[in-house]
Every structure is written in structure tokens, then in C-alpha cells.
Amino acid sequence: MAERIHLHLISDSTGETLESVARASLARFEEVEAVKHFWPLVRSTGHLDRVLEDVAEHPGLVVFTLATGEIRNRLEAGCEALGIPAVSAIDPVVAGLSIMLGKAATARPGRQHRLDEAYFARVEAINYTMAHDDGQGSENWNEADILLLGVSRTSKTPTSIYLANKGFKTANYPLVPERKPPPILFELTKPFIVGLTTTPHRLIEVRRNRLLSLAQTPETDYVDEEKIKREVAEARRLFADRGWPVIDVTRKAIEETAAAVMRLMNREEASQT
């Protein structure tokens, strides 16, 4: 039986940081079922009092990112009175930066989410990525930051969208047997091109599940083992011939694949400086 706990995530901003911290931390514990109580945009004592009522009703760990002293102090005092632990998610990092920079941090709720140039760049990246999914708009590929290549069902689209949310204009193109890629692919100068691959066995599983979800017969060339082996081999040969880096997505989550793409791109940029 999984152990069940309540986890209260309290933020004076959107709470995205807390979501990431909670997800990464919970992954370190097996057989734990967390009931998340999500409280974003907590910027008044009245709102906080309602949060504390829920904390009292469902005791559990409190994790917070609160910049305003009054609300933070009230939360910590309330949790102490209830005998419930309260942990700041970013205090150690802020303290370290304060020491390194020799200055105190400012207390501005939601500052990291202000509508600055980075925000609008992210919106532009998302719009570009959605318009250049699955080989669309190849004439504009030189505007991309990243171009993902791979056979069908190698997580190109979800990885592209994840990268777009990080601010990277990402296009992707499916490699299809007996169909040559557009000539422009071999003339590109800007985008960082990465090949995505997986094992034939895993590809068969994913494609079968895809066909079943669409109420289609799973007995087609799309899932033929020998043809899939050739398909994967041809894609790998193309990547090797062009010197494009390759990421095996067989056992990777989308976040891990995107992180690997960004690491490779940073390494490439560093080598050119």
C-alpha cells in the first residue's frame, strides 16, 4: 500500500517553481501518494488565513515561495502553532546568491513572471513551433533555433513543445521510408539539428498502442518488425552521415530529452566561442 501524504504548495506567484520542486522531490520516494493542495497568488493575509484553515484540516508538509515578509511570517507562525513543518523552496539558493553577490534579495512577488522580453520571446517560440510541427513550413526552418528529426513516434512533437516553452523556436520533421527529406534540410545554417531515435522493440509497442487508440488494426507495415528495424537503421545512417548528434529516447521522459537537447546545443555553442 502506498503511503498517503498531504502536500501544500503555497506561492505568491504562479507556483510553477513549486510544481517542479515537488515533482522532482516526490520522484525520490517510492510508494508515496501525494495529495497536492495548490495555492498560487497568495498575496493577502485574508487569502493566507483560508490556506491555513485547509492546512489545519489536512495536515501535511507545507512548501512555499513567499517574498512578502508579513505573509511569510504569518504562514510560518501558523504552521508552528499547528505543529506542521513549513519549508521554503528557494531560500538556500537565494542565500547563496546573496553571499556571492554581496547584496540582499528584493522582495517582489511574481517578479520572475513579469511580462518582459523573455515572456514575449517564449510566446513567439510557441507560435513558431506549433506552425512548424511535423514537417510544416520547411521554407522557414532557418528561423528555427532547433530542428528535431526522427522516425514516427519518437516524441518529436511533445519535445518540440517543451523546448518552445523554454523559449526555443523548434521545428520537427518525420523521417518516412521511401520519402526523401526536402533539399533545404541539407542547406540549413542556423538551427541546431538533432536526431531522435529509439529501439525497434519500443517503437513497435508505441505504434501498436497508437493504432489501438485510434481503433485501427495493429497489423500493418507501420508495426512490422523488419521494416521498423530498417527504418531506424536508415535514420541513424542519415544522422551519422551528416554528423548530427543523436539522442536515444527509449527510456527518457520528454523533460529529459529536452534537457539533453539543450545540453548538446550549449556544448556546440561553447565550442564555437
Side-chain angles (χ1 to χ4, degrees):
M1 292 289 291
E3 183 177 357
R4 194 166 185 263
I5 64 168
H6 290 276
L7 188 62
H8 298 268
L9 307 176
I10 306 170
S11 174
D12 52 21
S13 187
T14 64
E16 292 179 13
T17 301
L18 283 176
E19 279 284 347
S20 299
V21 170
R23 189 183 307 112
S25 300
L26 287 168
R28 303 289 295 274
F29 296 90
E30 297 181 355
E31 298 184 356
V32 174
E33 179 186 350
V35 179
K36 296 180 185 178
H37 302 253
F38 189 48
W39 301 96
L41 302 173
V42 178
R43 298 179 180 178
S44 70
T45 55
H47 192 174
L48 180 61
D49 288 342
R50 294 193 297 275
V51 173
L52 285 171
E53 288 176 5
D54 187 70
V55 172
E57 186 175 347
H58 304 97
L61 178 64
V62 171
V63 186
F64 65 88
T65 51
L66 295 172
T68 305
E70 179 185 2
I71 295 177
R72 174 179 173 143
N73 293 340
R74 193 181 185 95
L75 171 65
E76 291 177 330
C79 289
E80 184 177 359
L82 293 168
I84 291 173
V87 180
S88 169
I90 63 173
D91 269 10
V93 178
V94 173
L97 286 171
S98 182
I99 293 171
M100 289 296 296
L101 297 172
K103 63 174 69 175
T106 58
R108 291 172 59 184
R111 182 183 182 188
Q112 69 271 35
H113 297 288
R114 67 189 186 278
L115 299 184
D116 56 8
E117 291 183 5
Y119 171 83
F120 291 108
R122 188 162 66 250
V123 172
E124 184 180 356
I126 292 171
N127 289 335
Y128 177 91
T129 300
M130 297 302 291
H132 295 79
D133 180 42
D134 204 32
Q136 298 182 78
S138 59
E139 67 277 8
N140 299 318
W141 278 352
N142 248 331
E143 298 175 13
D145 299 306
I146 299 167
L147 173 61
L148 302 180
L149 305 175
V151 301
S152 175
R153 315 316 296 176
T154 48
S155 303
K156 296 182 298 300
T157 294
T159 303
S160 296
I161 294 172
Y162 189 93
L163 288 166
N165 276 280
K166 294 293 183 181
F168 297 101
K169 292 181 179 178
T170 309
N172 72 76
Y173 178 78
L175 298 174
V176 179
E178 301 175 358
R179 187 181 78 183
K180 292 184 178 180
I184 192 173
L185 175 62
F186 307 105
E187 302 168 0
L188 298 174
T189 57
K190 181 192 175 186
F192 182 67
I193 302 175
V194 179
L196 302 184
T197 190
T198 187
T199 64
H201 177 71
R202 177 57 176 162
L203 203 53
I204 291 171
E205 289 183 348
V206 173
R207 289 185 178 183
R208 280 185 180 277
N209 290 335
R210 175 61 174 170
L211 291 173
L212 290 171
S213 71
L214 297 174
Q216 297 180 10
T217 176
E219 304 302 328
T220 68
D221 289 348
Y222 188 60
V223 292
D224 181 83
E225 184 174 1
E226 291 305 315
K227 291 187 177 181
I228 284 180
K229 287 180 178 178
R230 289 197 297 271
E231 193 176 343
V232 172
E234 288 175 8
R236 280 188 169 275
R237 193 176 304 115
L238 172 64
F239 302 151
D241 289 346
R242 306 300 299 190
W244 293 326
V246 180
I247 298 173
D248 190 331
V249 303
T250 304
R251 299 184 181 277
K252 284 185 171 62
I254 300 304
E255 297 91 335
E256 293 175 298
T257 302
V261 172
M262 289 185 284
R263 281 196 302 271
L264 288 169
M265 185 167 62
N266 290 337
R267 191 180 305 163
E268 174 73 14
E269 291 176 350
S271 69
Q272 295 177 355
T273 58

